[in-house]
Amino acid sequence: MDWNRTRTGWDWGVNGGQPPPQPHLQQQQQYTVSTLNPQLLATVQNELARKEQQQGLLGEVQAILVTAPVQFKHRITDDFINTLSASLLDGTVFEIVSGLQEIQQMAERNLQSRRNVLVHAHREQRSAVEKKHKECLRKCRGRPHHLPIVKKQIEQERMDVEGRLEEELSRNDQKTILELDQKVSDQQITLERATVPGFYVTNDPTELSFQIYIIDIIIRLSALVT
């Protein structure tokens, strides 16, 4: 057979009877994965991994928010869910919330310790006053006509001491509340800067309840993804 005369028009007699190279196949081979820019390949792979992670996190968020309290249902919109998921994606917010928890727990322990010290000091003062009063009453045994006057003085001093101690404790508790309020404000500012939805400085009880709920969600998600 004359291989130089075929229907295809190719000269099969060239190259030892093998079909000639096809230009379009040669061009395609230039763009195989092995010849891609390593940086471009890494960027594409990272983006795919990020999108996969985002979808997984979004699913976790949606699963948790299904059981959201009735009073918060109207605020759990698709936009809220997407924004929350995006803010959690790189894990920074999980670390921030964990750090804020540690700071708050330490602050609460310090404040409780300060109150305990004050209460203990008050207990000692009451004990000292009571001891003093007992001694006054003992000295009046030989002078019964002085007893009514001494008892009146004792009662007045007891009332004065109690009033002073209660005022000290009240001032301490008010100071504690102010310090805790400042901690809350600091947390709100930090989470707002971290683009966590629902966070801004406020003392509105309803808004605070919603923010606490969001923090609870973040803590629960942190346990699932870490």
Side-chain angles (χ1 to χ4, degrees), residues 185-217:
S185 296
D186 293 343
Q187 293 172 0
Q188 291 170 332
I189 292 171
T190 299
L191 292 173
E192 181 182 18
R193 289 175 178 172
T195 69
V196 179
F199 278 88
Y200 62 96
V201 177
T202 178
N203 57 6
D204 181 86
T206 301
E207 292 301 302
L208 289 174
S209 295
F210 186 59
Q211 290 179 349
I212 292 172
Y213 175 65
I214 297 173
I215 291 177
D216 180 64
I217 291 174

mmCIF file of all heavy atoms in Angstrom, residues 185-217:
data_model
loop_
_atom_site.group_PDB
_atom_site.id
_atom_site.type_symbol
_atom_site.label_atom_id
_atom_site.label_comp_id
_atom_site.label_asym_id
_atom_site.label_seq_id
_atom_site.Cartn_x
_atom_site.Cartn_y
_atom_site.Cartn_z
ATOM 1 N N SER A 185 -17.175 46.933 78.457
ATOM 2 C CA SER A 185 -16.963 47.905 77.380
ATOM 3 C C SER A 185 -15.701 47.574 76.593
ATOM 4 O O SER A 185 -15.680 47.649 75.358
ATOM 5 C CB SER A 185 -16.873 49.324 77.950
ATOM 6 O OG SER A 185 -18.089 49.713 78.551
ATOM 7 N N ASP A 186 -14.643 47.212 77.300
ATOM 8 C CA ASP A 186 -13.392 46.838 76.630
ATOM 9 C C ASP A 186 -13.599 45.620 75.728
ATOM 10 O O ASP A 186 -13.074 45.560 74.601
ATOM 11 C CB ASP A 186 -12.306 46.528 77.669
ATOM 12 C CG ASP A 186 -11.880 47.762 78.452
ATOM 13 O OD1 ASP A 186 -12.169 48.887 77.990
ATOM 14 O OD2 ASP A 186 -11.277 47.601 79.529
ATOM 15 N N GLN A 187 -14.360 44.659 76.209
ATOM 16 C CA GLN A 187 -14.641 43.468 75.409
ATOM 17 C C GLN A 187 -15.462 43.828 74.171
ATOM 18 O O GLN A 187 -15.210 43.313 73.072
ATOM 19 C CB GLN A 187 -15.395 42.439 76.257
ATOM 20 C CG GLN A 187 -14.576 41.844 77.381
ATOM 21 C CD GLN A 187 -15.406 40.977 78.307
ATOM 22 O OE1 GLN A 187 -16.612 40.806 78.109
ATOM 23 N NE2 GLN A 187 -14.773 40.412 79.326
ATOM 24 N N GLN A 188 -16.451 44.681 74.343
ATOM 25 C CA GLN A 188 -17.288 45.098 73.217
ATOM 26 C C GLN A 188 -16.451 45.789 72.142
ATOM 27 O O GLN A 188 -16.618 45.519 70.946
ATOM 28 C CB GLN A 188 -18.400 46.029 73.703
ATOM 29 C CG GLN A 188 -19.445 45.326 74.559
ATOM 30 C CD GLN A 188 -20.390 46.302 75.230
ATOM 31 O OE1 GLN A 188 -20.047 47.449 75.504
ATOM 32 N NE2 GLN A 188 -21.603 45.852 75.511
ATOM 33 N N ILE A 189 -15.561 46.675 72.557
ATOM 34 C CA ILE A 189 -14.705 47.389 71.615
ATOM 35 C C ILE A 189 -13.791 46.413 70.879
ATOM 36 O O ILE A 189 -13.625 46.481 69.653
ATOM 37 C CB ILE A 189 -13.870 48.459 72.347
ATOM 38 C CG1 ILE A 189 -14.782 49.577 72.863
ATOM 39 C CG2 ILE A 189 -12.798 49.039 71.431
ATOM 40 C CD1 ILE A 189 -14.077 50.564 73.776
ATOM 41 N N THR A 190 -13.199 45.480 71.620
ATOM 42 C CA THR A 190 -12.276 44.511 71.024
ATOM 43 C C THR A 190 -12.976 43.647 69.984
ATOM 44 O O THR A 190 -12.462 43.445 68.879
ATOM 45 C CB THR A 190 -11.675 43.611 72.123
ATOM 46 O OG1 THR A 190 -10.951 44.422 73.049
ATOM 47 C CG2 THR A 190 -10.730 42.585 71.517
ATOM 48 N N LEU A 191 -14.162 43.141 70.312
ATOM 49 C CA LEU A 191 -14.881 42.264 69.387
ATOM 50 C C LEU A 191 -15.470 43.039 68.216
ATOM 51 O O LEU A 191 -15.588 42.506 67.108
ATOM 52 C CB LEU A 191 -15.968 41.501 70.139
ATOM 53 C CG LEU A 191 -15.421 40.482 71.147
ATOM 54 C CD1 LEU A 191 -16.544 39.888 71.985
ATOM 55 C CD2 LEU A 191 -14.648 39.376 70.437
ATOM 56 N N GLU A 192 -15.830 44.283 68.448
ATOM 57 C CA GLU A 192 -16.304 45.118 67.335
ATOM 58 C C GLU A 192 -15.167 45.340 66.327
ATOM 59 O O GLU A 192 -15.375 45.268 65.112
ATOM 60 C CB GLU A 192 -16.811 46.458 67.859
ATOM 61 C CG GLU A 192 -17.354 47.376 66.761
ATOM 62 C CD GLU A 192 -17.819 48.715 67.291
ATOM 63 O OE1 GLU A 192 -17.434 49.081 68.420
ATOM 64 O OE2 GLU A 192 -18.553 49.418 66.562
ATOM 65 N N ARG A 193 -13.975 45.608 66.830
ATOM 66 C CA ARG A 193 -12.818 45.795 65.947
ATOM 67 C C ARG A 193 -12.468 44.516 65.204
ATOM 68 O O ARG A 193 -11.895 44.554 64.115
ATOM 69 C CB ARG A 193 -11.621 46.275 66.765
ATOM 70 C CG ARG A 193 -11.756 47.714 67.255
ATOM 71 C CD ARG A 193 -10.608 48.102 68.163
ATOM 72 N NE ARG A 193 -10.710 49.500 68.590
ATOM 73 C CZ ARG A 193 -9.925 50.063 69.509
ATOM 74 N NH1 ARG A 193 -8.979 49.345 70.096
ATOM 75 N NH2 ARG A 193 -10.080 51.332 69.829
ATOM 76 N N ALA A 194 -12.801 43.379 65.797
ATOM 77 C CA ALA A 194 -12.550 42.081 65.152
ATOM 78 C C ALA A 194 -13.662 41.723 64.167
ATOM 79 O O ALA A 194 -13.684 40.596 63.665
ATOM 80 C CB ALA A 194 -12.406 40.996 66.204
ATOM 81 N N THR A 195 -14.575 42.664 63.927
ATOM 82 C CA THR A 195 -15.696 42.538 62.965
ATOM 83 C C THR A 195 -16.685 41.438 63.338
ATOM 84 O O THR A 195 -17.322 40.851 62.464
ATOM 85 C CB THR A 195 -15.182 42.299 61.531
ATOM 86 O OG1 THR A 195 -14.586 41.004 61.420
ATOM 87 C CG2 THR A 195 -14.187 43.374 61.117
ATOM 88 N N VAL A 196 -16.809 41.138 64.626
ATOM 89 C CA VAL A 196 -17.830 40.188 65.063
ATOM 90 C C VAL A 196 -19.176 40.914 65.064
ATOM 91 O O VAL A 196 -19.330 41.937 65.732
ATOM 92 C CB VAL A 196 -17.521 39.643 66.471
ATOM 93 C CG1 VAL A 196 -18.608 38.670 66.912
ATOM 94 C CG2 VAL A 196 -16.166 38.964 66.484
ATOM 95 N N PRO A 197 -20.165 40.409 64.334
ATOM 96 C CA PRO A 197 -21.450 41.111 64.242
ATOM 97 C C PRO A 197 -22.165 41.160 65.588
ATOM 98 O O PRO A 197 -22.086 40.230 66.387
ATOM 99 C CB PRO A 197 -22.232 40.273 63.226
ATOM 100 C CG PRO A 197 -21.622 38.912 63.303
ATOM 101 C CD PRO A 197 -20.162 39.146 63.582
ATOM 102 N N GLY A 198 -22.879 42.268 65.819
ATOM 103 C CA GLY A 198 -23.659 42.415 67.047
ATOM 104 C C GLY A 198 -22.925 43.115 68.163
ATOM 105 O O GLY A 198 -23.520 43.390 69.217
ATOM 106 N N PHE A 199 -21.634 43.427 67.951
ATOM 107 C CA PHE A 199 -20.857 44.023 69.037
ATOM 108 C C PHE A 199 -20.598 45.506 68.817
ATOM 109 O O PHE A 199 -20.142 45.921 67.753
ATOM 110 C CB PHE A 199 -19.531 43.277 69.230
ATOM 111 C CG PHE A 199 -19.680 42.047 70.054
ATOM 112 C CD1 PHE A 199 -19.998 40.836 69.463
ATOM 113 C CD2 PHE A 199 -19.553 42.087 71.438
ATOM 114 C CE1 PHE A 199 -20.165 39.691 70.221
ATOM 115 C CE2 PHE A 199 -19.716 40.954 72.208
ATOM 116 C CZ PHE A 199 -20.021 39.756 71.600
ATOM 117 N N TYR A 200 -20.928 46.247 69.846
ATOM 118 C CA TYR A 200 -20.634 47.673 69.944
ATOM 119 C C TYR A 200 -20.829 48.041 71.404
ATOM 120 O O TYR A 200 -21.394 47.267 72.178
ATOM 121 C CB TYR A 200 -21.548 48.495 69.035
ATOM 122 C CG TYR A 200 -23.015 48.375 69.376
ATOM 123 C CD1 TYR A 200 -23.654 49.323 70.176
ATOM 124 C CD2 TYR A 200 -23.772 47.299 68.912
ATOM 125 C CE1 TYR A 200 -24.996 49.215 70.501
ATOM 126 C CE2 TYR A 200 -25.112 47.171 69.229
ATOM 127 C CZ TYR A 200 -25.711 48.136 70.021
ATOM 128 O OH TYR A 200 -27.047 48.017 70.346
ATOM 129 N N VAL A 201 -20.354 49.198 71.812
ATOM 130 C CA VAL A 201 -20.453 49.589 73.215
ATOM 131 C C VAL A 201 -21.899 49.937 73.547
ATOM 132 O O VAL A 201 -22.497 50.835 72.938
ATOM 133 C CB VAL A 201 -19.537 50.786 73.523
ATOM 134 C CG1 VAL A 201 -19.723 51.229 74.974
ATOM 135 C CG2 VAL A 201 -18.087 50.424 73.270
ATOM 136 N N THR A 202 -22.449 49.218 74.505
ATOM 137 C CA THR A 202 -23.826 49.453 74.942
ATOM 138 C C THR A 202 -24.017 48.875 76.336
ATOM 139 O O THR A 202 -23.307 47.952 76.733
ATOM 140 C CB THR A 202 -24.837 48.800 73.978
ATOM 141 O OG1 THR A 202 -26.181 49.015 74.457
ATOM 142 C CG2 THR A 202 -24.608 47.298 73.873
ATOM 143 N N ASN A 203 -24.976 49.432 77.065
ATOM 144 C CA ASN A 203 -25.361 48.866 78.358
ATOM 145 C C ASN A 203 -26.826 48.459 78.356
ATOM 146 O O ASN A 203 -27.403 48.215 79.413
ATOM 147 C CB ASN A 203 -25.063 49.841 79.506
ATOM 148 C CG ASN A 203 -25.763 51.185 79.308
ATOM 149 O OD1 ASN A 203 -26.558 51.360 78.374
ATOM 150 N ND2 ASN A 203 -25.492 52.138 80.186
ATOM 151 N N ASP A 204 -27.409 48.405 77.168
ATOM 152 C CA ASP A 204 -28.800 47.973 77.034
ATOM 153 C C ASP A 204 -28.904 46.482 77.382
ATOM 154 O O ASP A 204 -28.194 45.661 76.798
ATOM 155 C CB ASP A 204 -29.298 48.207 75.608
ATOM 156 C CG ASP A 204 -30.743 47.785 75.444
ATOM 157 O OD1 ASP A 204 -31.631 48.608 75.738
ATOM 158 O OD2 ASP A 204 -30.985 46.632 75.043
ATOM 159 N N PRO A 205 -29.764 46.114 78.325
ATOM 160 C CA PRO A 205 -29.844 44.709 78.760
ATOM 161 C C PRO A 205 -30.142 43.731 77.625
ATOM 162 O O PRO A 205 -29.583 42.631 77.591
ATOM 163 C CB PRO A 205 -30.981 44.726 79.796
ATOM 164 C CG PRO A 205 -31.011 46.143 80.299
ATOM 165 C CD PRO A 205 -30.656 46.992 79.120
ATOM 166 N N THR A 206 -31.025 44.123 76.700
ATOM 167 C CA THR A 206 -31.366 43.236 75.582
ATOM 168 C C THR A 206 -30.163 43.004 74.688
ATOM 169 O O THR A 206 -29.882 41.866 74.276
ATOM 170 C CB THR A 206 -32.515 43.830 74.760
ATOM 171 O OG1 THR A 206 -33.665 44.017 75.604
ATOM 172 C CG2 THR A 206 -32.902 42.898 73.613
ATOM 173 N N GLU A 207 -29.441 44.085 74.390
ATOM 174 C CA GLU A 207 -28.260 43.963 73.545
ATOM 175 C C GLU A 207 -27.165 43.167 74.241
ATOM 176 O O GLU A 207 -26.459 42.371 73.606
ATOM 177 C CB GLU A 207 -27.737 45.356 73.172
ATOM 178 C CG GLU A 207 -28.659 46.134 72.257
ATOM 179 C CD GLU A 207 -28.908 45.409 70.947
ATOM 180 O OE1 GLU A 207 -27.922 45.116 70.240
ATOM 181 O OE2 GLU A 207 -30.070 45.107 70.640
ATOM 182 N N LEU A 208 -27.018 43.371 75.532
ATOM 183 C CA LEU A 208 -26.013 42.617 76.291
ATOM 184 C C LEU A 208 -26.331 41.122 76.269
ATOM 185 O O LEU A 208 -25.433 40.289 76.144
ATOM 186 C CB LEU A 208 -25.944 43.127 77.729
ATOM 187 C CG LEU A 208 -25.320 44.516 77.926
ATOM 188 C CD1 LEU A 208 -25.443 44.954 79.374
ATOM 189 C CD2 LEU A 208 -23.860 44.519 77.499
ATOM 190 N N SER A 209 -27.605 40.791 76.385
ATOM 191 C CA SER A 209 -28.009 39.379 76.345
ATOM 192 C C SER A 209 -27.674 38.761 74.988
ATOM 193 O O SER A 209 -27.206 37.616 74.912
ATOM 194 C CB SER A 209 -29.516 39.249 76.606
ATOM 195 O OG SER A 209 -29.836 39.676 77.913
ATOM 196 N N PHE A 210 -27.893 39.521 73.917
ATOM 197 C CA PHE A 210 -27.587 39.028 72.581
ATOM 198 C C PHE A 210 -26.084 38.856 72.405
ATOM 199 O O PHE A 210 -25.626 37.865 71.818
ATOM 200 C CB PHE A 210 -28.139 39.992 71.528
ATOM 201 C CG PHE A 210 -27.982 39.496 70.118
ATOM 202 C CD1 PHE A 210 -28.542 38.298 69.719
ATOM 203 C CD2 PHE A 210 -27.267 40.238 69.184
ATOM 204 C CE1 PHE A 210 -28.400 37.836 68.415
ATOM 205 C CE2 PHE A 210 -27.114 39.787 67.878
ATOM 206 C CZ PHE A 210 -27.688 38.581 67.499
ATOM 207 N N GLN A 211 -25.300 39.790 72.925
ATOM 208 C CA GLN A 211 -23.844 39.690 72.821
ATOM 209 C C GLN A 211 -23.320 38.494 73.605
ATOM 210 O O GLN A 211 -22.412 37.791 73.154
ATOM 211 C CB GLN A 211 -23.204 40.989 73.314
ATOM 212 C CG GLN A 211 -23.438 42.171 72.386
ATOM 213 C CD GLN A 211 -22.817 43.455 72.903
ATOM 214 O OE1 GLN A 211 -22.377 43.537 74.047
ATOM 215 N NE2 GLN A 211 -22.780 44.474 72.066
ATOM 216 N N ILE A 212 -23.895 38.261 74.773
ATOM 217 C CA ILE A 212 -23.499 37.089 75.563
ATOM 218 C C ILE A 212 -23.813 35.808 74.794
ATOM 219 O O ILE A 212 -23.031 34.843 74.801
ATOM 220 C CB ILE A 212 -24.215 37.096 76.928
ATOM 221 C CG1 ILE A 212 -23.693 38.251 77.793
ATOM 222 C CG2 ILE A 212 -24.033 35.765 77.652
ATOM 223 C CD1 ILE A 212 -24.464 38.460 79.071
ATOM 224 N N TYR A 213 -24.948 35.802 74.099
ATOM 225 C CA TYR A 213 -25.330 34.642 73.303
ATOM 226 C C TYR A 213 -24.333 34.406 72.164
ATOM 227 O O TYR A 213 -23.935 33.263 71.894
ATOM 228 C CB TYR A 213 -26.735 34.840 72.736
ATOM 229 C CG TYR A 213 -27.182 33.738 71.804
ATOM 230 C CD1 TYR A 213 -27.370 32.440 72.265
ATOM 231 C CD2 TYR A 213 -27.401 34.004 70.454
ATOM 232 C CE1 TYR A 213 -27.767 31.434 71.405
ATOM 233 C CE2 TYR A 213 -27.806 33.003 69.591
ATOM 234 C CZ TYR A 213 -27.983 31.713 70.068
ATOM 235 O OH TYR A 213 -28.366 30.721 69.212
ATOM 236 N N ILE A 214 -23.889 35.489 71.518
ATOM 237 C CA ILE A 214 -22.913 35.364 70.440
ATOM 238 C C ILE A 214 -21.595 34.798 70.970
ATOM 239 O O ILE A 214 -20.984 33.922 70.352
ATOM 240 C CB ILE A 214 -22.680 36.729 69.766
ATOM 241 C CG1 ILE A 214 -23.970 37.226 69.104
ATOM 242 C CG2 ILE A 214 -21.571 36.628 68.713
ATOM 243 C CD1 ILE A 214 -23.876 38.635 68.569
ATOM 244 N N ILE A 215 -21.165 35.304 72.121
ATOM 245 C CA ILE A 215 -19.924 34.797 72.722
ATOM 246 C C ILE A 215 -20.052 33.308 73.033
ATOM 247 O O ILE A 215 -19.117 32.529 72.822
ATOM 248 C CB ILE A 215 -19.575 35.592 73.992
ATOM 249 C CG1 ILE A 215 -19.153 37.021 73.621
ATOM 250 C CG2 ILE A 215 -18.455 34.912 74.779
ATOM 251 C CD1 ILE A 215 -18.867 37.903 74.804
ATOM 252 N N ASP A 216 -21.215 32.914 73.519
ATOM 253 C CA ASP A 216 -21.452 31.500 73.812
ATOM 254 C C ASP A 216 -21.338 30.661 72.543
ATOM 255 O O ASP A 216 -20.762 29.562 72.556
ATOM 256 C CB ASP A 216 -22.827 31.324 74.454
ATOM 257 C CG ASP A 216 -23.131 29.865 74.777
ATOM 258 O OD1 ASP A 216 -22.418 29.292 75.616
ATOM 259 O OD2 ASP A 216 -24.072 29.301 74.178
ATOM 260 N N ILE A 217 -21.860 31.178 71.438
ATOM 261 C CA ILE A 217 -21.756 30.478 70.153
ATOM 262 C C ILE A 217 -20.290 30.321 69.752
ATOM 263 O O ILE A 217 -19.856 29.249 69.329
ATOM 264 C CB ILE A 217 -22.520 31.244 69.056
ATOM 265 C CG1 ILE A 217 -24.031 31.179 69.312
ATOM 266 C CG2 ILE A 217 -22.204 30.688 67.672
ATOM 267 C CD1 ILE A 217 -24.840 32.020 68.361
#
